[in-house]
Each structure stands twice: as C-alpha cells, then as structure tokens.
Amino acid sequence: MSSEPIVLSSSRPGAAPAEHAAPAEAHTCACGHEDEEKIVLDSRSIPHAIRHATIFGALGAIKPGFALDLIASHNPLPLLGQLESSRPGEFLVSYLENGPETWTIRLTRAN
C-alpha cells in the first residue's frame, strides 16, 4: 500500500481566488464558507444515543451574538436544563415554534 502526501491549501479545491481578505474575527478553517449569524440544526435526524452530545458540540462552536435554531420532535426541556446547568446564562432561549409535532428553539450565544 502506498501513501500519498497531504497537500495543505488556504482554500478549498476548485474555489475561485478570494477577492478580499476575511475579517479577523471570521473562522480560520479555510473551507471557503462564511460564518452565518443563524444556523439550523434539525435534531430529529440525529441518532438518540448521540443527540445531546451533538447539540452541545454545535453550541460550543457558536460565536457570541450568533444563534442556532434547533428543530426537535418534542419540547426539549431536558436539554435546556442540561444547558443551563453546564453553561448558566450563556445562551438566550426563544421558542419560534411550539409543537405539537415540531418545536423550533433559537439559542443565541450571549457572551
């Protein structure tokens, strides 16, 4: 089995050259995508065994002032309790859709 060298690049393959530099606060992964102020995560498609861990991982990547809209098949009160216990006051919670089949909650990083 032969190995091939890993080539590092500042842009994704096939991307057009950037016309302007990204602001200093932009992410630095060189994927070619801009950060969005609002991200949507549909938790209904995540396996139950890893659902909360996946949501907490996504929330950990949210910058202050940015939001994650979480879509769930039930009112995620247990998750919100865990969030407040582990990161008190870090996220503002607002319900955008309140059941009975789908709940959408906006979690905005406060600090």
Side-chain angles (χ1 to χ4, degrees), residues 30-51:
C31 68
H33 293 95
E34 295 297 321
D35 286 336
E36 296 180 25
E37 288 186 29
K38 182 182 72 167
I39 300 150
V40 177
L41 177 61
D42 188 341
S43 68
R44 299 173 296 183
S45 63
I46 302 169
H48 190 308
I50 61 169
R51 188 171 296 153

Side-chain angles (χ1 to χ4, degrees), residues 82-101:
Q82 288 177 338
L83 181 61
E84 187 57 30
S85 292
S86 65
R87 301 176 184 184
E90 193 170 330
F91 289 91
L92 305 173
V93 178
S94 56
Y95 281 77
L96 305 178
E97 185 177 0
N98 199 3
E101 294 181 20

